[in-house]
Amino acid sequence: MSDTVSRRSALRLTAGAIAVAAAATGGLVPLTSAAAAGRPEAGAGPRVEGLIARLTLDEKISLLHGATDPDSLGQAGYVPGVPRLDIPPLRLADGPAGVRITEHATALPAPVLLASAFDPELARRYGQVIGREGRALGQDVLLSPMVNLIRTPYAGRNFETFSEDPLLASDLVAAEIGGIQGEGLIATVKHFALNNQEKDRNSIDVQAGEQTMHEMELRGFEAAVDAGTGAVMGAYNKVNGTFACEDKTLLTDILRDQWGFRGWVMTDWFAAHSTVDAITAGLDMEMPDGTYFGTALRSAVRNGSVAEKYVDRPVRRILAVMDRFGLLDGSAPPRPDRDAEAGAAVALEVAKAGATLLRNERRTLPLDGGSVAVIGPTGSLPFVSGGGSAHVIPDRADSPLDAIRARARGTVTYTLGEDLFGKAVPTSALSPAFDSEGQQVAAGKNWEYDGTLTVGEADEWTFVLHFSSAAIARPTVLLDGEDLFPIAPGYGEYFSGGLVAVAPDGLGVRRATLQLTRGTHALKITAAGGDSGLLFRLRRTTGATQAQDIADAVRAARAARHAVLFAYEDATEGLDRTTLALPGRQEQLIRAVTAANPRTTVVLNTSSSTTMPWLADTGAVLQMYYPGQEGAAATAAVLFGDSDPGGRLTQSFPVDDDHHPVAGDPRRYPGVDGTEEYSEGIHVGYRWYDAQGVRPLFPFGHGLSYTSFAYSDAQARWTRGGLEVTFSVHNTGRRTGIEVPQVYVGRSPDLRLDQAVRALGAFRRLVLRAGERRRVTLRVAARTLSSWDARRHRWTLGTGRRTVWVGASSGDLRLRTSARVSG
């Protein structure tokens, strides 16, 4: 909750004490590191040292890279052990929102929804679910959590991480790691470092100053180290000219010498670029294979390019973590059984806690007993998670429509509104005719169609291909000689989204949109049955079919007392968004439905911030992100008022694509000629809006309750090691509700360094009964009151009189006071 240091490790406690002492002697906060204390990298204990002495060179190298699992559980990675010495193998699974293997697991809400609860204790319990399930499902290492900041609203993995604010991200990542590792699963914080976009992620050179790195981008990783994370995953991108996975400044100088990290560093998958440079810089493990840390490393040792001590070093680090978790001496507790019921309970709690009510006019919510028109594809389809590494096979996932019907007292109707999966191509438009709704190609057989498609009127067509087999064997569809569904290069083929890439019956889906002229078009289809046969469908949506879907939705909304419109945006690893607008014709749909029924609630299942030119026409807007397997029940609970919407925005929502921190400057995003400049410096997210005087659509920290709160009597005082801020919060409404008071601190007059207009200093999640008043004290730590001095390479305490604000968001600051920060 950021008001106490009790959640930090002993290292952080020591650092806080040093910071206070430094403040009394001039304001410099020393590095908190083994190197700063004059300690060399320690040995790993007699068991590990004994194993290293007995391992052959080939056995050592086998521990430093991934391999093929002979008994794969569908996990992301595998490192063979050394049976001769009873060193067990390691299985490594993705898991930002649950354990991703081929077996069922609890599909938790996306981390951004977890973060919206502003509750480190809930983050710890979220981690406990993943930790227990990871061990129950045969895994040893979790490739999570992700703590990269939300720097650009376009980043495709914003839903996998926490926040644009480094303090909030730090508190949450530390708590989640505690939960994961408390269950005996090794956590991996990622992606180290400055991996804030998917666009050109394998090659982009991120240029950032030292102050920006330490104050913004690195703070969450440092918190993860303080929390004892067993592993760190290096990023794909370059940092100031050097690939992150061979960057000595990152991997050794900062991570180990400054922070005292004692775990191991692995690459992101296929992120290695060298042998000698990488291993000497501090990289310990190459994943998922041994391109550089296999035969090439063995040769480098034998020809003298790499001293064997550089092989012993990563082996020592890996074995030391395994020893710490009881994997070398058999002291690890037995693998538990999955507790699916307990996992589902936490998933439901997180989804309700993070539900963020952005707007609520005319008492639109909670819904009363009247009739409800549910509209939108994600109203009838459960939208569990985004695509890529975050995708989990859930035990179950109900649809919001079913949950609303189960809860509502009045009539509930449903209309599609926006067609994701297409309608059948009319047989009359095909010559010769064929069944485009279900072509079955037997194993070992081929099927061909060579004919025409006749279009009655010029229109925009989106062809939608559904197919059952692996992507490489899907049908080839040529229209007027153009391949509509070419295989995407590299891993792009597999990063296709968590919702739109799979039909309700499990078939894979690809789309192609183009303008078709009136008349006849050549259509040629070839399909191979392969080893197991192939089922495919060819469907389409057009401007005409979409207009009809919208008209049906308008009729349903007009006939009901309430309209609940589910809108979506499907994000995935590997792809950035190109706009903050909702995809397809959803904006047109929302405008039409709200015009028909002003008591319309828009429920957003989106990855990140969304522009809302339709906002003023709505009754309410509820942000649910990707809510996991229990998302339907959580959404219904909030809509009907069974649960107060307790979430707050962990990122600022821009008004449009032209007014946010990276807008209009391609050097900031997505980069120019392979280089990207973090020229906004420390002014990320709400800090940029404050510095530029730009008003966002919704500010960081924003979120409404079904009750109201008043703030009063703020006081701040400097104590040993931090500021204590005390104030009162009063529930002035008629029902129990959730409030998240936030403390922001202004600039130090004594620092000649770049500083934010104000920065989040502390927060706390409160549940107050109707009429309840509570006196609250939040603590702002010395680190939060400090800035990184790039000339001296140290933290410097910001002394002098500091303005302190207390409020419900960065844009709703109710109280103001000040205190003098000194030694």
Side-chain angles (χ1 to χ4, degrees):
M1 295 180 291
S2 223
D3 57 322
T4 175
V5 294
S6 64
R7 300 185 190 280
R8 295 300 194 213
S9 66
L11 180 61
R12 171 59 65 232
L13 288 169
T14 302
I18 294 172
V20 177
T25 57
L28 289 178
V29 181
L31 304 176
T32 59
S33 69
R39 298 192 306 272
E41 185 166 17
R47 180 180 296 109
V48 170
E49 296 302 330
L51 286 171
I52 292 173
R54 297 169 63 195
L55 286 165
T56 67
L57 176 62
D58 284 350
E59 287 170 339
K60 292 174 185 176
I61 289 174
S62 73
L63 296 173
L64 304 187
H65 64 81
T68 300
D69 187 348
D71 300 302
S72 177
L73 302 172
Q75 77 279 359
Y78 173 80
V79 177
V82 181
R84 180 178 70 87
L85 299 176
D86 294 324
I87 299 174
L90 292 174
R91 288 185 168 89
L92 303 85
D94 288 318
V99 182
R100 188 176 78 94
I101 61 171
T102 54
E103 299 295 325
H104 288 274
T106 300
L108 292 159
V112 71
L113 184 56
L114 166 69
S116 300
F118 279 68
D119 189 347
E121 174 58 24
L122 189 59
R124 184 188 64 81
R125 293 172 53 216
Y126 182 99
Q128 284 180 318
V129 171
I130 302 175
R132 179 187 175 99
E133 294 206 346
R135 295 208 68 241
L137 293 168
Q139 303 304 299
D140 306 292
V141 182
L142 183 77
L143 304 174
S144 184
M146 176 178 172
V147 76
N148 300 103
L149 290 188
I150 298 176
R151 174 182 175 263
T152 167
Y154 302 110
R157 301 181 80 171
N158 281 349
F159 68 95
E160 287 189 57
T161 191
F162 299 115
S163 177
E164 68 187 23
D165 181 77
L167 174 66
L168 178 60
S170 297
D171 282 4
L172 296 175
V173 77
E176 185 180 342
I177 287 171
I180 293 165
Q181 297 195 155
E183 297 296 315
L185 191 68
I186 300 167
T188 307
V189 67
K190 63 184 186 182
H191 310 85
F192 192 61
L194 283 73
N195 181 189
N196 301 114
Q197 66 189 58
E198 295 299 280
K199 174 71 173 173
D200 299 326
R201 69 177 184 175
N202 294 309
S203 60
I204 195 73
D205 181 7
V206 178
Q207 300 285 321
E210 197 174 306
Q211 183 183 6
T212 299
M213 289 176 61
H214 281 273
E215 290 190 27
M216 306 304 297
E217 300 295 333
L218 300 183
R219 189 167 177 181
F221 291 97
E222 184 180 5
V225 170
D226 288 353
T229 187
V232 170
M233 181 186 291
Y236 286 113
N237 51 280
K238 296 178 182 177
V239 177
N240 294 325
T242 302
F243 279 110
C245 287
E246 55 188 43
D247 187 332
K248 180 178 178 295
T249 299
L250 286 175
L251 303 186
T252 296
D253 299 347
I254 293 174
L255 185 61
R256 297 192 181 278
D257 292 346
Q258 291 184 17
W259 298 346
F261 178 58
R262 291 294 177 262
W264 87 83
V265 179
M266 71 182 76
T267 67
D268 204 334
W269 269 223
F270 302 105
H273 293 272
S274 66
T275 300
V276 178
D277 288 349
I279 200 164
T280 56
L283 181 68
D284 302 310
M285 181 183 287
E286 178 189 5
M287 293 302 296
D289 60 19
T291 302
Y292 295 98
F293 275 25
T295 301
L297 179 57
R298 182 185 303 108
S299 297
V301 172
R302 288 176 175 166
N303 68 26
S305 301
V306 172
E308 192 164 348
K309 69 178 183 179
Y310 285 110
V311 175
D312 291 348
R313 184 174 68 177
V315 171
R316 178 176 292 110
R317 292 165 176 171
I318 294 164
L319 292 180
V321 176
M322 294 177 68
D323 195 34
R324 172 182 151 199
F325 281 79
L327 300 178
L328 296 183
D329 64 353
S331 64
R335 292 190 184 273
D337 294 327
R338 274 196 68 215
D339 189 340
E341 185 176 340
V346 173
L348 177 61
E349 183 180 358
V350 172
K352 291 192 293 187
T356 306
L357 185 60
L358 300 179
R359 174 180 169 87
N360 193 19
E361 300 296 319
R362 302 181 293 275
R363 297 185 178 179
T364 298
L365 293 181
L367 301 177
D368 58 27
S371 57
V372 181
V374 177
I375 299 164
T378 49
S380 65
L381 290 174
F383 197 167
V384 174
S385 66
S389 300
H391 183 69
V392 176
I393 302 173
D395 292 301
R396 67 175 189 277
D398 297 330
S399 75
L401 175 61
D402 289 340
I404 290 170
R405 280 178 169 157
R407 177 61 180 78
R409 293 191 295 272
T411 302
V412 177
T413 61
Y414 175 73
T415 53
L416 186 61
E418 174 86 355
D419 190 351
L420 286 179
F421 301 108
K423 295 172 172 59
V425 177
T427 303
S428 60
L430 298 168
S431 180
F434 79 96
D435 182 10
S436 66
E437 271 296 276
Q439 278 298 320
Q440 182 76 53
V441 184
K445 300 295 183 180
N446 295 317
W447 183 91
E448 293 187 1
Y449 175 84
D450 194 350
T452 60
L453 170 71
T454 300
V455 176
E457 299 291 339
D459 201 348
E460 179 184 86
W461 278 54
T462 295
F463 289 91
V464 188
L465 177 68
H466 300 216
F467 56 96
S468 63
S469 65
I472 197 67
R474 70 173 183 238
T476 298
V477 182
L478 302 178
L479 187 72
D480 294 332
E482 178 184 354
D483 188 351
L484 295 184
F485 309 103
I487 301 296
Y491 274 74
E493 183 60 38
Y494 303 98
F495 296 139
S496 303
L499 171 75
V500 300
V502 181
D505 62 358
L507 296 189
V509 175
R510 297 293 185 272
R511 296 168 181 77
T513 300
L514 61 162
Q515 288 291 140
L516 291 188
T517 58
R518 183 175 183 273
T520 300
H521 300 265
L523 178 64
K524 185 172 183 177
I525 305 172
T526 57
D531 294 334
S532 57
L534 170 69
L535 171 67
F536 77 90
R537 297 186 286 257
L538 183 64
R539 293 181 173 180
R540 99 296 188 208
T541 61
T542 67
T545 66
Q546 290 174 327
Q548 184 60 54
D549 288 337
I550 291 175
D552 292 344
V554 166
R555 280 194 294 273
R558 188 174 289 126
R561 173 167 171 75
H562 302 279
V564 180
L565 193 159
F566 286 81
Y568 75 92
E569 172 261 320
D570 191 17
T572 179
E573 177 183 357
L575 294 174
D576 280 351
R577 302 160 72 188
T578 57
T579 177
L580 302 183
L582 293 170
R585 299 199 179 188
Q586 292 183 95
E587 289 191 354
Q588 183 180 343
L589 172 66
I590 293 171
R591 290 187 185 280
V593 168
T594 53
N597 187 337
R599 296 182 63 82
T600 295
T601 297
V602 176
V603 178
L604 292 170
N605 292 129
T606 56
S607 68
S608 187
S609 55
T610 303
T611 54
M612 305 180 198
W614 37 264
L615 179 66
D617 300 324
T618 64
V621 178
L622 177 63
Q623 176 63 254
M624 290 299 298
Y625 298 105
Y626 303 152
Q629 69 178 52
E630 304 300 319
T635 301
V638 173
L639 289 174
F640 286 95
D642 302 330
S643 176
D644 198 48
R648 302 296 183 264
L649 290 182
T650 70
Q651 59 198 293
S652 308
F653 275 33
V655 170
D656 54 38
D657 284 290
D658 297 323
H659 296 86
H660 55 75
V662 300
D665 187 348
R667 292 170 299 180
R668 286 189 182 179
Y669 177 84
V672 175
D673 297 329
T675 299
E676 183 176 44
E677 300 173 2
Y678 282 25
S679 56
E680 74 277 11
I682 64 167
H683 303 288
V684 176
Y686 67 88
R687 301 174 182 220
W688 180 88
Y689 287 95
D690 287 342
Q692 299 297 318
V694 175
R695 188 179 182 88
L697 180 65
F698 293 111
F700 172 88
H702 172 74
L704 305 176
S705 167
Y706 289 147
T707 185
S708 55
F709 298 92
Y711 289 70
S712 62
D713 191 19
Q715 300 173 358
R717 68 187 185 96
W718 171 251
T719 64
R720 185 171 178 81
L723 279 177
E724 283 190 357
V725 183
T726 303
F727 53 93
S728 295
V729 183
H730 180 204
N731 182 344
T732 57
R734 298 181 177 180
R735 55 177 289 163
T736 297
I738 297 166
E739 181 66 332
V740 182
Q742 300 151 46
V743 170
Y744 294 84
V745 181
R747 293 166 169 154
S748 162
D750 297 342
L751 286 184
R752 300 192 181 277
L753 299 171
D754 196 16
Q755 299 177 69
V757 174
R758 62 184 63 87
L760 181 68
F763 58 88
R764 181 180 289 176
R765 182 181 179 88
L766 301 175
V767 179
L768 297 180
R769 299 183 303 276
E772 182 180 359
R773 185 189 305 270
R774 188 175 303 175
R775 192 73 175 155
V776 178
T777 297
L778 301 185
R779 182 179 176 82
V780 184
R783 169 60 67 87
T784 303
L785 298 166
S786 301
S787 295
W788 183 267
D789 187 333
R791 289 188 307 110
R792 301 183 182 184
H793 313 295
R794 292 180 179 271
W795 290 99
T796 303
L797 184 66
T799 55
R801 183 156 293 280
R802 308 285 294 265
T803 302
V804 177
W805 293 266
V806 180
S809 76
S810 65
D812 183 9
L813 302 172
R814 312 279 183 89
L815 306 174
R816 178 172 173 167
T817 185
S818 67
R820 181 171 296 281
V821 175
S822 61

